[in-house]
Amino acid sequence: MTKVKFLSGETVPLEMHKVRMVQKVNLYPVEDRLAAMEEAGYNTFLLKNRDIYLDMLTDSGVNAMSDNQYAAMLQADDSYAGSETFYRLEATLKDMFANDYFLPAHQGRACENIISQVLVTPGSTVLMNYHFTTSRAHITLRDGLVEEIIIDEGLKINSDHPFKGNMDIAKLEEAIARLGRDNIAFVRVEAGTNLIGGQPISLQNMRDVSAVCRDHGITTVFDASLLADNLYFIKVREAACAEMSLRDITREMGALMDVIYFSGRKLGFARGGGILTSNADLFAKMRELIPLYEGFLTYGGMSVREMEAMSVGLQETLDFDVISQTPIFVAAFTEELIKKGVPVVTPPGGLGCHVDAAAFCEHLPQTEYPAGALAAALFIAGGVRAMERGTLSEERRPDGSEPLAEMELVRLAIPRRVFTLSQVKYAADRLAWLHQNRELIGGLTFEEEPSVLRFFFGRLKATSDWPQQLAQAFRRDFGDSL
């Protein structure tokens, strides 16, 4: 993707691909959207896709694949063991990260399970720039602890820092001194902090983290799931990397980190995942668990057709025109919302546009899940499915008390090569209308609350009849328009 200037002086994102296949979507009346939201227990994860107009829940497994990816799927080798498909994927990853060993797994959280089983012991601590929901869950299931040491700028809604996902090196040194090397399971670096705005980490910060950890003999683990967006930001925001090729950057990352894992549902634009390392001892320990949890060592629970598509998608990740689309669309979306007075996270990150639900719904206490309420309201107002990234995404403490999230965000993901600019502008318009009528948005409370990862399948209810009032206000202002 690139940007071009129009005769009017406006700078517009320009897609560097053409659309050759389409899929029908539905935009139903507001009354139908309200009924669907009620049926889903005010949890956007529980909505049926047929009821959704724009699915901005996630980019995971929903990026559009290229013609070359579909073509590659036809050469898949279905062999249970020793598949040529595996060796093609392995060769692609070794070329990309210059690591010696690759283990396949069916997706990113499967990799987290394997890594946590090998490295986490009861009472040990994992230091990280910021947690992801499943990464923390696998660590705590092993009775490990999580400590976040992101830079202070990372937790500011609005900032001009180009790499808000960076780890604070001084905090890292302090934590190592306080906890002791032997009590640290590993240091996890996430490229593109998913829960706090998709904010990137710089290559220099990765160098600094690696140097500290190697000085102390501590294992480093790199979550590369959102690497595509992060590579874009390194190229455009990190001056020292402007002349580096994307392959040079990924290979240096491979040299800096002891273990790399990824979700192919994000990185590679297909469905799968895997673990890379050049550490023979770690490889041997993790390899034993792959057949137990995933499948044989040359498919790891993945469809070989998806593996072929992922191999091509990984190669496309090293094409700047390919990886630039999501960040540029996110920036355009963010800028449109800023013009309309909607509070958002700045600077724009990767993955999607992030709305500051705490400011948007400042009349709601965090205990009534303002990010979840805003996500539900957006679906009622526009048929747009977004994801709550706030207190709903936390888990209760053992004593039953509820930790409040450091940020209350609603994420509107931009899957790669899926939406048009007019659809993005539609979502921005419906958010702007909601902001003008934000006093109508009320709170939510749990009806069914799972003990683990409750945001996935917990069911809630409105604290009043505010959803009905919101639907009536929409009909009043938009008439027969959908």
Side-chain angles (χ1 to χ4, degrees):
M1 173 152 288
T2 188
K3 292 182 178 180
V4 296
K5 183 169 286 188
F6 282 12
L7 189 61
S8 64
E10 181 184 9
T11 300
V12 178
L14 191 66
E15 294 87 345
M16 299 304 291
H17 62 267
K18 59 183 179 180
V19 177
R20 298 183 65 189
M21 183 183 293
V22 296
Q23 186 176 41
K24 187 180 184 298
V25 293
N26 301 307
L27 181 56
Y28 292 121
V30 64
E31 292 80 10
D32 293 351
R33 300 195 295 263
L34 172 61
M37 193 75 262
E38 291 174 335
E39 183 182 347
Y42 293 92
N43 183 343
T44 57
F45 273 97
L46 301 182
L47 287 166
K48 296 181 176 68
N49 190 55
R50 61 174 175 258
D51 295 325
I52 296 163
Y53 173 53
L54 294 183
D55 192 356
M56 293 181 161
L57 184 78
T58 181
D59 67 333
S60 182
V62 294
N63 295 293
M65 294 199 302
S66 69
D67 51 354
N68 290 324
Q69 286 184 280
Y70 280 110
M73 295 173 79
L74 297 177
Q75 66 177 342
D77 177 358
D78 282 321
S79 302
Y80 182 91
S83 166
E84 284 301 312
T85 291
F86 169 79
Y87 294 113
R88 281 190 281 268
L89 177 57
E90 181 186 52
T92 296
L93 284 160
K94 285 184 176 181
D95 177 67
M96 189 171 180
F97 291 106
N99 273 212
D100 295 333
Y101 308 108
F102 167 59
L103 293 168
H106 77 273
Q107 64 183 88
R109 66 197 59 173
C111 302
E112 292 169 339
N113 174 46
I114 301 295
I115 293 167
S116 294
Q117 291 221 33
V118 169
L119 293 176
V120 178
T121 56
S124 65
T125 297
V126 177
L127 304 175
M128 57 180 69
N129 49 349
Y130 207 76
H131 76 278
F132 183 61
T133 50
T134 57
S135 62
R136 184 174 65 181
H138 281 296
I139 292 163
T140 56
L141 282 171
R142 297 281 298 167
D143 292 324
L145 305 170
V146 169
E147 185 171 330
E148 295 159 344
I149 47 177
I150 197 165
I151 60 171
D152 293 342
E153 289 286 331
L155 297 179
K156 294 180 180 178
I157 293 290
N158 300 121
S159 168
D160 58 3
H161 197 293
F163 292 101
K164 288 166 66 176
N166 279 356
M167 191 173 289
D168 190 311
I169 302 302
K171 291 179 183 177
L172 175 61
E173 293 272 22
E174 185 279 330
I176 294 171
R178 170 169 42 84
L179 297 169
R181 183 194 68 181
D182 294 341
N183 295 315
I184 297 173
F186 59 89
V187 170
R188 174 182 173 273
V189 177
E190 182 178 341
T193 45
N194 191 313
L195 295 187
I196 51 174
Q199 297 296 317
I201 182 171
S202 70
L203 183 59
Q204 184 57 52
N205 189 248
M206 292 182 67
R207 291 169 180 153
D208 295 341
V209 171
S210 177
V212 170
C213 290
R214 289 185 175 171
D215 282 347
H216 292 280
I218 296 171
T219 300
T220 50
V221 174
F222 179 41
D223 181 352
S225 300
L226 294 176
L227 179 61
D229 293 344
N230 210 111
L231 285 173
Y232 169 84
F233 290 120
I234 286 174
K235 282 287 290 181
V236 302
R237 293 182 183 176
E238 195 166 359
C241 300
E243 300 305 317
M244 293 178 68
S245 71
L246 295 175
R247 180 175 275 101
D248 287 342
I249 295 171
T250 58
R251 286 179 172 174
E252 181 170 348
M253 289 174 170
L256 291 171
M257 298 288 120
D258 296 312
V259 177
I260 299 172
Y261 76 93
F262 66 96
S263 169
R265 298 176 69 88
K266 297 177 182 292
L267 182 66
F269 324 141
R271 293 165 187 83
I275 304 170
L276 291 133
T277 186
S278 288
N279 185 309
D281 290 338
L282 282 177
F283 171 74
K285 292 175 182 177
M286 292 187 291
R287 179 178 57 184
E288 294 179 356
L289 299 177
I290 296 295
L292 181 62
Y293 290 103
E294 299 300 306
F296 191 66
L297 296 172
T298 53
Y299 75 94
M302 284 186 278
S303 156
V304 287
R305 289 160 182 77
E306 295 284 359
M307 292 169 71
E308 292 283 6
M310 188 163 63
S311 181
V312 174
L314 288 165
Q315 295 169 44
E316 292 176 352
T317 298
L318 301 180
D319 181 336
F320 189 78
D321 280 339
V322 172
I323 65 169
S324 61
Q325 179 175 0
T326 292
I328 289 176
F329 258 37
V330 169
F333 196 177
T334 301
E335 289 161 9
E336 187 75 12
L337 289 174
I338 290 172
K339 290 178 189 175
K340 297 177 183 298
V342 177
V344 291
V345 173
T346 58
L351 204 164
C353 178
H354 292 76
V355 178
D356 178 9
F360 198 113
C361 301
E362 59 183 357
H363 57 287
L364 293 180
Q366 278 189 275
T367 52
E368 293 187 13
Y369 311 122
L374 177 55
L378 177 59
F379 178 76
I380 295 169
V384 179
R385 173 159 71 166
M387 185 186 291
E388 187 274 354
R389 298 277 73 166
T391 298
L392 263 179
S393 293
E394 298 292 326
E395 294 181 4
R396 290 191 186 273
R397 300 183 182 97
D399 65 1
S401 62
E402 183 160 59
L404 302 180
E406 291 170 303
M407 290 185 176
E408 287 286 338
L409 304 180
V410 170
R411 186 186 77 196
L412 294 104
I414 306 287
R416 193 163 284 105
R417 301 179 289 211
V418 172
F419 298 129
T420 65
L421 197 56
S422 65
Q423 289 172 321
V424 170
K425 288 186 174 182
Y426 167 83
D429 181 81
R430 292 304 185 254
L431 271 167
W433 178 82
L434 269 180
H435 191 247
Q436 293 171 4
N437 294 273
R438 58 192 179 274
E439 74 283 350
L440 293 176
I441 302 173
L444 298 174
T445 187
F446 269 104
E447 277 194 315
E448 299 175 20
E449 183 177 355
S451 60
V452 177
L453 299 176
R454 63 184 184 175
F455 68 94
F456 272 136
F457 52 96
R459 301 184 68 85
L460 301 102
K461 62 180 180 180
T463 55
S464 67
D465 66 347
W466 69 261
Q468 291 74 25
Q469 293 183 36
L470 186 72
Q472 291 171 8
F474 179 91
R475 184 59 72 206
R476 175 200 69 208
D477 290 352
F478 290 98
D480 293 334
S481 173
L482 299 175

